[in-house]
Amino acid sequence: MLQFKITDSEFKLIRDFIYDHAGINLSDEKKTLVTSRLSKRLRHYSLNSFKEYFDLMIASPKDGEQQVAVDLLTTNETYFFREPKHFAFLEKEVLPNWKGRGPLRVWSAASSTGEEAYSIAMLLDDMLGNRPWEIFGSDISSRVLKSAQQGHYIQNRIDGIPKEYLRKYCLKGTGDHEGTLLIDSSLRKKVRFAPVNLKRPLGNVGEFDIIFLRNVLIYFDIETKRQIIRQLVEKMHPDGYLFIGHSESLKGIHDGLETVMPTVYQKI
Ligand SMILES: C[S@@+](CC[C@H](N)C(=O)[O-])C[C@H]1O[C@@H](n2cnc3c(N)ncnc32)[C@H](O)[C@@H]1O
């Protein structure tokens, strides 16, 4: 198979594009990753260089090849009940003490393929009984949102789901669907997914009691992080909670938030 090489100036074009568009900060070490992820598009269009691909992509509509490039350049790794301490904190501290009158609103703000949003949904359904709740999942990648909406996963990716929840909220595939699992429709109905680019104004998403913003801040520089956190805090109810990933930090940029425990913040 034809192997493509990316020049420094081509890498810079792509790096500037994804930074301007998504806030994602690609270091020089990501050259190999960019080459391998975009090479298939050069083959698809029978192009000879990344410059040709860049020109084609920039000339295309935002929801055309530009979106394909964003889908390919984002890293979407996720799994059910990732970072279990956060779920334990929700279960033991947040949900039993929640006094809100309307529905409890939770936002999985970089949801990837939906495992995070459905993990939260299982916990809320189990803990809140008849009290109303809703979850909004969003991401910049339209490809991952499509699979999030389907709620259909391959069996070997479901390790983190507690056995009781597997029985209660997941349908095991049979026949053609052997080896897969479908999130029960009663849960899927309460989880809505839509595209949101955190780098842009957030639009009318409403206000939230809990926001999960996990394992996405690592891709941003400090200025972008600051801008995103400022926007998200505006969308939180007073006393609302913000969760970030365990390898992430809000050092110096958590205005309007106080630390409850490492990686968990509450709006002041
Ligand atoms: C590693 S996944 C994290 C998934 C999940 N939150 C978790 O912790 O398992 C990071 C996600 O952030 C999304 N992302 C990157 N930049 C974004 C942006 N500017 N706006 C919204 N989502 C973005 C990517 O598309 C990707 O799906």
Side-chain angles (χ1 to χ4, degrees):
M1 200 189 300
L2 183 59
Q3 296 300 322
F4 299 99
K5 275 226 167 75
I6 195 164
T7 65
D8 287 351
S9 60
E10 288 170 331
F11 180 67
K12 185 172 180 316
L13 286 173
I14 288 162
R15 186 169 64 185
D16 289 352
F17 161 75
I18 197 70
Y19 181 77
D20 289 344
H21 185 75
I24 295 172
N25 198 12
L26 294 174
S27 63
D28 280 346
E29 289 84 74
K30 293 289 181 328
K31 252 188 196 167
T32 322
L33 179 134
V34 169
T35 310
S36 73
R37 289 192 183 174
L38 295 184
S39 284
K40 56 185 110 153
R41 301 311 286 166
L42 272 68
R43 274 183 221 111
H44 174 83
Y45 289 112
S46 304
L47 302 174
N48 293 314
S49 72
F50 286 95
K51 173 72 169 73
E52 285 178 16
Y53 175 70
F54 177 79
D55 291 343
L56 179 151
M57 188 254 301
I58 287 297
S60 79
K62 282 226 176 327
D63 59 354
E65 191 61 31
Q66 289 193 34
Q67 184 62 53
V68 175
V70 170
D71 287 350
L72 289 169
L73 292 171
T74 49
T75 297
N76 315 112
E77 188 195 341
T78 186
Y79 34 94
F80 286 99
F81 290 91
R82 183 178 196 176
E83 303 184 13
K85 277 193 184 147
H86 285 157
F87 293 92
F89 183 76
L90 270 187
E91 182 181 346
K92 300 210 164 61
E93 304 294 333
V94 181
L95 299 179
N97 297 315
W98 176 61
K99 304 256 180 324
R101 263 175 266 138
L104 177 83
R105 297 196 74 229
V106 185
W107 185 6
S108 167
S111 68
S112 186
T113 36
E115 286 87 333
E116 180 176 88
Y118 291 124
S119 302
I120 304 167
M122 291 179 202
L123 188 65
L124 297 195
D125 187 82
D126 188 32
M127 294 282 301
L128 293 182
N130 290 328
R131 298 176 73 188
W133 56 270
E134 57 192 47
I135 297 178
F136 175 47
S138 67
D139 201 282
I140 197 174
S141 161
S142 53
R143 182 178 52 83
V144 294
L145 287 174
K146 242 181 243 155
S147 68
Q149 266 147 2
Q150 287 162 357
H152 194 197
Y153 299 96
I154 46 173
Q155 196 96 31
N156 62 9
R157 301 188 22 114
I158 59 168
D159 283 355
I161 307 180
K163 286 231 159 52
E164 182 204 336
Y165 287 180
L166 269 177
R167 273 195 301 275
K168 204 165 161 188
Y169 301 117
C170 307
L171 306 169
K172 218 171 160 188
T174 55
D176 285 352
H177 296 297
E178 185 83 44
T180 69
L181 169 153
L182 183 66
I183 303 295
D184 190 76
S185 68
S186 61
L187 278 197
R188 273 187 286 131
K189 267 190 231 148
K190 293 171 114 174
V191 186
R192 185 174 72 86
F193 291 96
V196 172
N197 181 351
L198 295 167
K199 172 107 193 283
R200 304 267 175 255
L202 299 174
N204 190 13
V205 290
E207 287 203 342
F208 294 89
D209 300 286
I210 299 167
I211 298 181
F212 272 56
L213 180 72
R214 305 190 311 163
N215 303 300
V216 64
L217 290 173
I218 30 165
Y219 302 107
F220 304 139
D221 62 15
I222 183 96
E223 258 327 299
T224 309
K225 275 201 225 179
R226 194 189 305 278
Q227 178 200 334
I228 289 173
I229 295 298
R230 198 182 301 130
Q231 293 204 88
L232 287 183
V233 171
E234 278 172 21
K235 302 291 183 192
M236 290 168 72
H237 284 142
D239 296 332
Y241 289 92
L242 174 71
F243 293 77
I244 65 170
H246 278 110
S247 58
E248 297 170 320
S249 145
L250 294 189
K251 207 161 171 240
I253 54 164
H254 54 88
D255 285 355
L257 296 168
E258 67 183 4
T259 311
V260 179
M261 61 182 232
T263 72
V264 182
Y265 299 82
Q266 192 166 21
K267 182 164 171 174
I268 302 167

